[in-house]
Amino acid sequence: MFDSAFDCVVLDGTVVTAADVGRYDIAIKDGKIALLAPARSLSKVKATRIIDAQGAYVMPGGVDAHVHLSEPQLFGKGRPADDFTSGSRSAIAGGTTTIIAFAPQDRSDPSILNALDEAQQKARDAAYCDYSLHLLISNPTEQALEEFAVLRERGVSSIKIYMTYEVLQLRDNQILDVLLQARKDLITTMIHAENGDMLTWMTEQLERRRLLAPKYHATSRPQILESEATNRAIALSQLVETPILIVHVSSPLAANNIRTAQTSGLPVFAETCPQYMFLTRKALDQPGFEGAKCVCSPPPRDGEADLESIWRGIENGTFTILSSDHCPFIYDDNVDGKKSAISEDAPLGRFRYIPNGCPGVETRLALVLSADRLSPQKFVEVTSTNPAKLYGLYPQKGALIPGLSDADLTIWYPPSSLEPFPVTNSALHHNVDYIPYEGQIVSNWPRYTLVRGEVVWDRDNGGIVGRKGYGQFVKRGPSAFCREQPEWDVERY
Ligand code: URP
Ligand code: ZN
Ligand code: ZN
């Protein structure tokens, strides 16, 4: 077997999967992992390309399951600045090899298939890395629910729904309709859990007092909004016995609710994001309008104890996945960006109109690895393997299983070969004019990124060396965490 020529051999890496760490060589053939062998045992095999990884971490490529690209204006004036080209370019430069973006249903549309067609059209021939889509459901008509089966046929096995934002918010009975249908079709339901009515009420209280600056975004969304909605989402999922995933959890109270549900055996999964591991509400309280850069929902929480609690939730398994929620709005843009919330009568902007979201697809992996807090296996588990399992991509993605896994790799710098350096927006590859982490020191960065065996990012020799259009739509199966169940029976209650 060692005589056959490989397309690429990665020598002597410290290979990390969600289960193990060990020193191995990896051989790649036809875009797949062909072989893992003891370190340096493949030094002499024929290969078109040899990468000497010299003890550097070699990991399954990052899977970022929460990325907003090319979306129409959903609420407020903001429009994401990244499309599938710039967003995926930024992804590979940060070591992410698969992204899952959103296909938003227009609320006036009774169908969800137009949304899927439109998003697929935008992504076709545009991406640098592999990608998939979640359907964002804002109008769960009978027709839309029937079309869940079509989603599955087309390789889409997840949806997102909102409990907030007036134009997206579903009522509890609509959420139940969605969950019941998701149960039938083995679809994973992502839930944005914030109580929209409480938010509207709080916002009106603040506006009446002319408390409009960006920092009041955090005041308008205290933890109780998130923990109440999380509890309700758990109760709704319990009623119809259907798995749910609470996305972008920022609140320790909400995390506790999730943990309690998990402990009692409910299939409740959760996602958190770097903004809730590194930022506090202080980031929103900056001179002038600057705090708008870090306005996202839910907001960063009060202080160090909250950050600590989120890190602990990753370590103890409360959080299944760690995504970026890359939601890229240009700061200095009065029409489609953060500054669209500024008007003559509100020169510091009105927080309620600030487009919500922060960029982060490129910085997710380096920031979290550099924090040196998670074990390497845990890091791979939450940033690659679990998102792949949760969203039906495993073991094609998120693993290094010979013959089964795509040769998607993130190869870091060998220990001590890179001086720690500050992250700056000017070095990144998205279309946004800022990052919330400007100047934060990182100790490592992906040296190479490979997608299906092709080097697409070579930090020291050309940077982005992949090509637009190389990225493929990946058809997904059901979640590894979801099981076929008998028909739900109301008479049991
Ligand atoms: O503030 C955020 N999270 N913006 C992105 C939209 C969403 O709800 O994920
Ligand atoms: Zn959301
Ligand atoms: Zn999001």
mmCIF file of all heavy atoms in Angstrom, residues 66 68 71 74-75 102 136 160 162 164-165 168 192 194 217 221 247-248 271 273 275-276 295-299 325-327 329 338 355-358, ligand 1:
data_model
loop_
_atom_site.group_PDB
_atom_site.id
_atom_site.type_symbol
_atom_site.label_atom_id
_atom_site.label_comp_id
_atom_site.label_asym_id
_atom_site.label_seq_id
_atom_site.Cartn_x
_atom_site.Cartn_y
_atom_site.Cartn_z
ATOM 1 N N HIS A 66 -22.545 28.554 11.858
ATOM 2 C CA HIS A 66 -23.409 29.726 12.072
ATOM 3 C C HIS A 66 -22.754 30.953 11.439
ATOM 4 O O HIS A 66 -21.995 31.676 12.082
ATOM 5 C CB HIS A 66 -23.624 29.924 13.575
ATOM 6 C CG HIS A 66 -24.727 30.875 13.910
ATOM 7 N ND1 HIS A 66 -25.499 30.749 15.056
ATOM 8 C CD2 HIS A 66 -25.203 31.974 13.280
ATOM 9 C CE1 HIS A 66 -26.386 31.725 15.104
ATOM 10 N NE2 HIS A 66 -26.211 32.501 14.035
ATOM 11 N N HIS A 68 -23.586 34.226 8.645
ATOM 12 C CA HIS A 68 -24.578 34.979 7.857
ATOM 13 C C HIS A 68 -23.902 35.586 6.635
ATOM 14 O O HIS A 68 -22.990 36.410 6.768
ATOM 15 C CB HIS A 68 -25.186 36.098 8.706
ATOM 16 C CG HIS A 68 -25.950 35.593 9.891
ATOM 17 N ND1 HIS A 68 -27.298 35.287 9.834
ATOM 18 C CD2 HIS A 68 -25.561 35.302 11.158
ATOM 19 C CE1 HIS A 68 -27.701 34.859 11.028
ATOM 20 N NE2 HIS A 68 -26.660 34.855 11.844
ATOM 21 N N GLU A 71 -27.362 37.806 2.965
ATOM 22 C CA GLU A 71 -28.778 37.778 3.338
ATOM 23 C C GLU A 71 -29.441 39.088 2.933
ATOM 24 O O GLU A 71 -28.810 40.146 2.975
ATOM 25 C CB GLU A 71 -28.924 37.579 4.853
ATOM 26 C CG GLU A 71 -28.586 36.169 5.278
ATOM 27 C CD GLU A 71 -28.629 35.978 6.789
ATOM 28 O OE1 GLU A 71 -29.143 36.852 7.512
ATOM 29 O OE2 GLU A 71 -28.129 34.933 7.237
ATOM 30 N N LEU A 74 -33.253 41.745 6.787
ATOM 31 C CA LEU A 74 -34.307 41.002 7.485
ATOM 32 C C LEU A 74 -35.051 41.903 8.448
ATOM 33 O O LEU A 74 -36.246 41.832 8.610
ATOM 34 C CB LEU A 74 -33.694 39.834 8.245
ATOM 35 C CG LEU A 74 -33.153 38.701 7.379
ATOM 36 C CD1 LEU A 74 -32.495 37.645 8.240
ATOM 37 C CD2 LEU A 74 -34.264 38.080 6.559
ATOM 38 N N PHE A 75 -34.299 42.755 9.120
ATOM 39 C CA PHE A 75 -34.904 43.693 10.066
ATOM 40 C C PHE A 75 -33.957 44.867 10.138
ATOM 41 O O PHE A 75 -32.760 44.717 9.917
ATOM 42 C CB PHE A 75 -35.117 43.068 11.439
ATOM 43 C CG PHE A 75 -33.988 42.202 11.892
ATOM 44 C CD1 PHE A 75 -32.890 42.753 12.520
ATOM 45 C CD2 PHE A 75 -34.001 40.833 11.665
ATOM 46 C CE1 PHE A 75 -31.829 41.960 12.926
ATOM 47 C CE2 PHE A 75 -32.937 40.031 12.065
ATOM 48 C CZ PHE A 75 -31.850 40.595 12.692
ATOM 49 N N PHE A 102 -27.231 30.787 6.056
ATOM 50 C CA PHE A 102 -28.690 30.770 6.200
ATOM 51 C C PHE A 102 -29.395 31.111 4.892
ATOM 52 O O PHE A 102 -28.938 31.965 4.136
ATOM 53 C CB PHE A 102 -29.119 31.774 7.278
ATOM 54 C CG PHE A 102 -28.652 31.371 8.640
ATOM 55 C CD1 PHE A 102 -27.403 31.746 9.103
ATOM 56 C CD2 PHE A 102 -29.442 30.566 9.456
ATOM 57 C CE1 PHE A 102 -26.952 31.349 10.356
ATOM 58 C CE2 PHE A 102 -29.000 30.160 10.704
ATOM 59 C CZ PHE A 102 -27.752 30.553 11.158
ATOM 60 N N LEU A 136 -34.062 29.432 7.275
ATOM 61 C CA LEU A 136 -34.556 30.311 8.340
ATOM 62 C C LEU A 136 -36.071 30.486 8.125
ATOM 63 O O LEU A 136 -36.500 31.046 7.115
ATOM 64 C CB LEU A 136 -33.812 31.652 8.223
ATOM 65 C CG LEU A 136 -33.872 32.616 9.387
ATOM 66 C CD1 LEU A 136 -32.842 33.705 9.167
ATOM 67 C CD2 LEU A 136 -35.232 33.227 9.553
ATOM 68 N N LYS A 160 -33.701 27.332 11.306
ATOM 69 C CA LYS A 160 -33.587 28.224 12.458
ATOM 70 C C LYS A 160 -34.894 28.995 12.617
ATOM 71 O O LYS A 160 -35.484 29.439 11.622
ATOM 72 C CB LYS A 160 -32.422 29.207 12.282
ATOM 73 C CG LYS A 160 -32.274 30.138 13.509
ATOM 74 C CD LYS A 160 -31.110 31.114 13.424
ATOM 75 C CE LYS A 160 -31.117 32.022 14.659
ATOM 76 N NZ LYS A 160 -30.205 33.155 14.560
ATOM 77 N N TYR A 162 -36.943 32.059 15.297
ATOM 78 C CA TYR A 162 -36.685 33.163 16.224
ATOM 79 C C TYR A 162 -37.830 33.320 17.218
ATOM 80 O O TYR A 162 -39.005 33.252 16.843
ATOM 81 C CB TYR A 162 -36.549 34.479 15.447
ATOM 82 C CG TYR A 162 -35.223 34.650 14.740
ATOM 83 C CD1 TYR A 162 -34.976 34.030 13.512
ATOM 84 C CD2 TYR A 162 -34.221 35.438 15.286
ATOM 85 C CE1 TYR A 162 -33.762 34.191 12.867
ATOM 86 C CE2 TYR A 162 -33.000 35.605 14.645
ATOM 87 C CZ TYR A 162 -32.778 34.980 13.440
ATOM 88 O OH TYR A 162 -31.569 35.141 12.810
ATOM 89 N N THR A 164 -37.698 36.212 18.881
ATOM 90 C CA THR A 164 -37.619 37.670 18.994
ATOM 91 C C THR A 164 -37.524 38.276 17.591
ATOM 92 O O THR A 164 -37.602 37.545 16.610
ATOM 93 C CB THR A 164 -36.411 38.075 19.871
ATOM 94 O OG1 THR A 164 -36.475 39.469 20.116
ATOM 95 C CG2 THR A 164 -35.101 37.748 19.189
ATOM 96 N N TYR A 165 -37.361 39.581 17.523
ATOM 97 C CA TYR A 165 -37.364 40.389 16.292
ATOM 98 C C TYR A 165 -38.781 40.360 15.705
ATOM 99 O O TYR A 165 -39.216 39.317 15.211
ATOM 100 C CB TYR A 165 -36.367 39.885 15.234
ATOM 101 C CG TYR A 165 -34.916 39.939 15.621
ATOM 102 C CD1 TYR A 165 -34.104 38.809 15.478
ATOM 103 C CD2 TYR A 165 -34.343 41.105 16.114
ATOM 104 C CE1 TYR A 165 -32.765 38.850 15.827
ATOM 105 C CE2 TYR A 165 -33.003 41.143 16.456
ATOM 106 C CZ TYR A 165 -32.218 40.019 16.313
ATOM 107 O OH TYR A 165 -30.904 40.042 16.652
ATOM 108 N N LEU A 168 -39.637 38.451 12.599
ATOM 109 C CA LEU A 168 -39.248 37.036 12.482
ATOM 110 C C LEU A 168 -39.865 36.167 13.575
ATOM 111 O O LEU A 168 -39.980 34.945 13.420
ATOM 112 C CB LEU A 168 -37.718 36.894 12.583
ATOM 113 C CG LEU A 168 -36.882 37.557 11.490
ATOM 114 C CD1 LEU A 168 -35.401 37.519 11.853
ATOM 115 C CD2 LEU A 168 -37.083 36.842 10.152
ATOM 116 N N HIS A 192 -33.355 30.821 18.278
ATOM 117 C CA HIS A 192 -32.842 32.082 18.835
ATOM 118 C C HIS A 192 -33.768 32.420 19.995
ATOM 119 O O HIS A 192 -34.908 32.843 19.802
ATOM 120 C CB HIS A 192 -32.851 33.172 17.762
ATOM 121 C CG HIS A 192 -32.349 34.497 18.249
ATOM 122 N ND1 HIS A 192 -31.392 35.221 17.568
ATOM 123 C CD2 HIS A 192 -32.663 35.240 19.338
ATOM 124 C CE1 HIS A 192 -31.134 36.344 18.234
ATOM 125 N NE2 HIS A 192 -31.910 36.385 19.311
ATOM 126 N N GLU A 194 -34.701 34.607 22.794
ATOM 127 C CA GLU A 194 -34.840 35.839 23.580
ATOM 128 C C GLU A 194 -36.316 36.197 23.536
ATOM 129 O O GLU A 194 -36.953 36.043 22.472
ATOM 130 C CB GLU A 194 -34.032 36.987 22.975
ATOM 131 C CG GLU A 194 -32.529 36.868 23.113
ATOM 132 C CD GLU A 194 -31.816 38.111 22.576
ATOM 133 O OE1 GLU A 194 -31.844 38.312 21.341
ATOM 134 O OE2 GLU A 194 -31.277 38.876 23.375
ATOM 135 N N HIS A 217 -28.244 48.850 24.372
ATOM 136 C CA HIS A 217 -28.612 47.567 23.749
ATOM 137 C C HIS A 217 -28.538 46.450 24.810
ATOM 138 O O HIS A 217 -29.441 45.618 24.901
ATOM 139 C CB HIS A 217 -27.662 47.259 22.584
ATOM 140 C CG HIS A 217 -27.842 45.899 21.990
ATOM 141 N ND1 HIS A 217 -28.864 45.585 21.121
ATOM 142 C CD2 HIS A 217 -27.139 44.744 22.165
ATOM 143 C CE1 HIS A 217 -28.780 44.309 20.782
ATOM 144 N NE2 HIS A 217 -27.735 43.768 21.397
ATOM 145 N N ARG A 221 -31.724 44.090 26.982
ATOM 146 C CA ARG A 221 -31.817 42.622 26.860
ATOM 147 C C ARG A 221 -31.151 41.949 28.060
ATOM 148 O O ARG A 221 -30.156 41.244 27.912
ATOM 149 C CB ARG A 221 -31.109 42.171 25.575
ATOM 150 C CG ARG A 221 -31.639 42.824 24.315
ATOM 151 C CD ARG A 221 -30.761 42.495 23.120
ATOM 152 N NE ARG A 221 -31.445 41.608 22.208
ATOM 153 C CZ ARG A 221 -31.978 41.992 21.048
ATOM 154 N NH1 ARG A 221 -31.900 43.240 20.659
ATOM 155 N NH2 ARG A 221 -32.574 41.117 20.276
ATOM 156 N N VAL A 247 -29.190 28.477 20.033
ATOM 157 C CA VAL A 247 -27.996 29.076 19.414
ATOM 158 C C VAL A 247 -27.494 30.272 20.223
ATOM 159 O O VAL A 247 -28.215 30.835 21.048
ATOM 160 C CB VAL A 247 -28.263 29.508 17.945
ATOM 161 C CG1 VAL A 247 -28.402 28.295 17.044
ATOM 162 C CG2 VAL A 247 -29.468 30.415 17.824
ATOM 163 N N HIS A 248 -26.283 30.641 19.927
ATOM 164 C CA HIS A 248 -25.573 31.804 20.505
ATOM 165 C C HIS A 248 -25.988 32.133 21.948
ATOM 166 O O HIS A 248 -26.460 33.228 22.244
ATOM 167 C CB HIS A 248 -25.663 33.046 19.604
ATOM 168 C CG HIS A 248 -27.018 33.376 19.038
ATOM 169 N ND1 HIS A 248 -28.143 33.445 19.795
ATOM 170 C CD2 HIS A 248 -27.403 33.691 17.782
ATOM 171 C CE1 HIS A 248 -29.162 33.771 19.015
ATOM 172 N NE2 HIS A 248 -28.729 33.923 17.793
ATOM 173 N N GLU A 271 -25.270 26.104 21.616
ATOM 174 C CA GLU A 271 -24.120 26.705 20.923
ATOM 175 C C GLU A 271 -23.707 27.960 21.677
ATOM 176 O O GLU A 271 -24.558 28.707 22.171
ATOM 177 C CB GLU A 271 -24.578 27.085 19.512
ATOM 178 C CG GLU A 271 -23.599 27.927 18.717
ATOM 179 C CD GLU A 271 -24.287 28.631 17.549
ATOM 180 O OE1 GLU A 271 -25.031 29.620 17.795
ATOM 181 O OE2 GLU A 271 -24.083 28.209 16.408
ATOM 182 N N CYS A 273 -20.460 31.251 21.386
ATOM 183 C CA CYS A 273 -19.639 31.918 20.371
ATOM 184 C C CYS A 273 -18.540 32.722 21.069
ATOM 185 O O CYS A 273 -18.702 33.122 22.234
ATOM 186 C CB CYS A 273 -20.488 32.900 19.554
ATOM 187 S SG CYS A 273 -22.069 32.273 19.004
ATOM 188 N N GLN A 275 -17.758 35.762 21.067
ATOM 189 C CA GLN A 275 -18.149 37.065 21.648
ATOM 190 C C GLN A 275 -18.635 36.917 23.093
ATOM 191 O O GLN A 275 -18.597 37.872 23.856
ATOM 192 C CB GLN A 275 -19.171 37.815 20.776
ATOM 193 C CG GLN A 275 -20.326 37.056 20.225
ATOM 194 C CD GLN A 275 -20.012 36.333 18.922
ATOM 195 O OE1 GLN A 275 -18.931 35.802 18.752
ATOM 196 N NE2 GLN A 275 -20.974 36.300 18.011
ATOM 197 N N TYR A 276 -19.080 35.706 23.458
ATOM 198 C CA TYR A 276 -19.549 35.481 24.826
ATOM 199 C C TYR A 276 -18.465 34.842 25.707
ATOM 200 O O TYR A 276 -18.702 34.548 26.870
ATOM 201 C CB TYR A 276 -20.816 34.625 24.797
ATOM 202 C CG TYR A 276 -21.837 35.204 23.838
ATOM 203 C CD1 TYR A 276 -22.358 34.466 22.785
ATOM 204 C CD2 TYR A 276 -22.211 36.552 23.940
ATOM 205 C CE1 TYR A 276 -23.252 35.023 21.876
ATOM 206 C CE2 TYR A 276 -23.100 37.122 23.035
ATOM 207 C CZ TYR A 276 -23.602 36.353 22.009
ATOM 208 O OH TYR A 276 -24.471 36.921 21.108
ATOM 209 N N VAL A 295 -22.396 45.398 19.118
ATOM 210 C CA VAL A 295 -23.822 45.136 19.341
ATOM 211 C C VAL A 295 -24.200 43.847 18.616
ATOM 212 O O VAL A 295 -24.122 43.752 17.394
ATOM 213 C CB VAL A 295 -24.681 46.328 18.852
ATOM 214 C CG1 VAL A 295 -26.143 45.913 18.704
ATOM 215 C CG2 VAL A 295 -24.554 47.484 19.832
ATOM 216 N N CYS A 296 -24.546 42.853 19.396
ATOM 217 C CA CYS A 296 -25.019 41.596 18.836
ATOM 218 C C CYS A 296 -26.062 41.054 19.806
ATOM 219 O O CYS A 296 -26.176 41.531 20.935
ATOM 220 C CB CYS A 296 -23.873 40.604 18.653
ATOM 221 S SG CYS A 296 -22.970 40.256 20.156
ATOM 222 N N SER A 297 -26.814 40.076 19.354
ATOM 223 C CA SER A 297 -27.898 39.559 20.196
ATOM 224 C C SER A 297 -27.838 38.056 20.307
ATOM 225 O O SER A 297 -27.711 37.391 19.282
ATOM 226 C CB SER A 297 -29.246 39.952 19.606
ATOM 227 O OG SER A 297 -29.374 41.333 19.713
ATOM 228 N N PRO A 298 -27.932 37.532 21.526
ATOM 229 C CA PRO A 298 -27.958 38.264 22.795
ATOM 230 C C PRO A 298 -26.677 39.079 22.974
ATOM 231 O O PRO A 298 -25.692 38.799 22.294
ATOM 232 C CB PRO A 298 -28.059 37.166 23.851
ATOM 233 C CG PRO A 298 -28.263 35.885 23.118
ATOM 234 C CD PRO A 298 -27.953 36.079 21.705
ATOM 235 N N PRO A 299 -26.695 40.042 23.903
ATOM 236 C CA PRO A 299 -25.511 40.893 24.064
ATOM 237 C C PRO A 299 -24.435 40.220 24.909
ATOM 238 O O PRO A 299 -24.733 39.307 25.672
ATOM 239 C CB PRO A 299 -26.071 42.105 24.819
ATOM 240 C CG PRO A 299 -27.219 41.560 25.584
ATOM 241 C CD PRO A 299 -27.803 40.430 24.779
ATOM 242 N N ASP A 325 -21.172 32.820 14.676
ATOM 243 C CA ASP A 325 -22.273 33.748 14.396
ATOM 244 C C ASP A 325 -21.724 34.972 13.648
ATOM 245 O O ASP A 325 -22.042 36.119 13.987
ATOM 246 C CB ASP A 325 -23.013 34.175 15.665
ATOM 247 C CG ASP A 325 -24.336 34.874 15.351
ATOM 248 O OD1 ASP A 325 -24.708 34.932 14.161
ATOM 249 O OD2 ASP A 325 -24.992 35.364 16.291
ATOM 250 N N HIS A 326 -20.898 34.680 12.648
ATOM 251 C CA HIS A 326 -20.322 35.753 11.813
ATOM 252 C C HIS A 326 -21.476 36.520 11.161
ATOM 253 O O HIS A 326 -22.198 35.974 10.336
ATOM 254 C CB HIS A 326 -19.439 35.101 10.747
ATOM 255 C CG HIS A 326 -18.817 36.046 9.772
ATOM 256 N ND1 HIS A 326 -17.698 36.796 10.062
ATOM 257 C CD2 HIS A 326 -19.145 36.359 8.496
ATOM 258 C CE1 HIS A 326 -17.349 37.528 9.018
ATOM 259 N NE2 HIS A 326 -18.226 37.282 8.042
ATOM 260 N N CYS A 327 -21.654 37.757 11.570
ATOM 261 C CA CYS A 327 -22.765 38.549 11.038
ATOM 262 C C CYS A 327 -22.183 39.918 10.689
ATOM 263 O O CYS A 327 -22.124 40.823 11.517
ATOM 264 C CB CYS A 327 -23.881 38.628 12.074
ATOM 265 S SG CYS A 327 -25.410 39.193 11.344
ATOM 266 N N PHE A 329 -21.487 43.395 9.451
ATOM 267 C CA PHE A 329 -21.959 44.706 9.012
ATOM 268 C C PHE A 329 -20.784 45.674 9.024
ATOM 269 O O PHE A 329 -20.003 45.690 9.987
ATOM 270 C CB PHE A 329 -23.054 45.218 9.942
ATOM 271 C CG PHE A 329 -24.284 44.359 9.927
ATOM 272 C CD1 PHE A 329 -24.582 43.533 10.995
ATOM 273 C CD2 PHE A 329 -25.126 44.350 8.819
ATOM 274 C CE1 PHE A 329 -25.700 42.717 10.976
ATOM 275 C CE2 PHE A 329 -26.250 43.533 8.795
ATOM 276 C CZ PHE A 329 -26.540 42.715 9.877
ATOM 277 N N LYS A 338 -23.539 49.631 10.424
ATOM 278 C CA LYS A 338 -23.858 49.994 11.805
ATOM 279 C C LYS A 338 -24.339 51.444 11.893
ATOM 280 O O LYS A 338 -25.255 51.769 12.641
ATOM 281 C CB LYS A 338 -22.621 49.793 12.690
ATOM 282 C CG LYS A 338 -22.162 48.340 12.808
ATOM 283 C CD LYS A 338 -22.947 47.577 13.855
ATOM 284 C CE LYS A 338 -22.404 46.170 14.058
ATOM 285 N NZ LYS A 338 -23.147 45.404 15.058
ATOM 286 N N PRO A 355 -27.765 47.492 13.349
ATOM 287 C CA PRO A 355 -27.771 46.108 12.864
ATOM 288 C C PRO A 355 -27.017 45.208 13.839
ATOM 289 O O PRO A 355 -25.911 45.522 14.255
ATOM 290 C CB PRO A 355 -27.041 46.208 11.518
ATOM 291 C CG PRO A 355 -27.201 47.633 11.096
ATOM 292 C CD PRO A 355 -27.227 48.438 12.360
ATOM 293 N N ASN A 356 -27.657 44.121 14.222
ATOM 294 C CA ASN A 356 -27.107 43.218 15.247
ATOM 295 C C ASN A 356 -26.134 42.221 14.636
ATOM 296 O O ASN A 356 -26.490 41.510 13.702
ATOM 297 C CB ASN A 356 -28.244 42.385 15.864
ATOM 298 C CG ASN A 356 -29.079 43.145 16.862
ATOM 299 O OD1 ASN A 356 -29.741 42.541 17.686
ATOM 300 N ND2 ASN A 356 -29.086 44.471 16.807
ATOM 301 N N GLY A 357 -24.951 42.147 15.212
ATOM 302 C CA GLY A 357 -24.030 41.095 14.794
ATOM 303 C C GLY A 357 -22.602 41.577 14.729
ATOM 304 O O GLY A 357 -22.335 42.773 14.595
ATOM 305 N N CYS A 358 -21.678 40.625 14.835
ATOM 306 C CA CYS A 358 -20.232 40.913 14.787
ATOM 307 C C CYS A 358 -19.576 39.940 13.800
ATOM 308 O O CYS A 358 -19.997 38.791 13.696
ATOM 309 C CB CYS A 358 -19.579 40.650 16.132
ATOM 310 S SG CYS A 358 -20.292 41.559 17.491
HETATM 311 O O1 URP B 1 -26.617 39.592 16.709
HETATM 312 C C1 URP B 1 -26.679 38.588 16.047
HETATM 313 N N1 URP B 1 -26.546 37.398 16.605
HETATM 314 N N2 URP B 1 -26.921 38.694 14.747
HETATM 315 C C2 URP B 1 -27.080 37.671 13.855
HETATM 316 C C3 URP B 1 -28.503 37.285 13.713
HETATM 317 C C4 URP B 1 -28.825 36.166 14.624
HETATM 318 O O2 URP B 1 -29.834 36.245 15.295
HETATM 319 O O3 URP B 1 -28.089 35.191 14.654
#
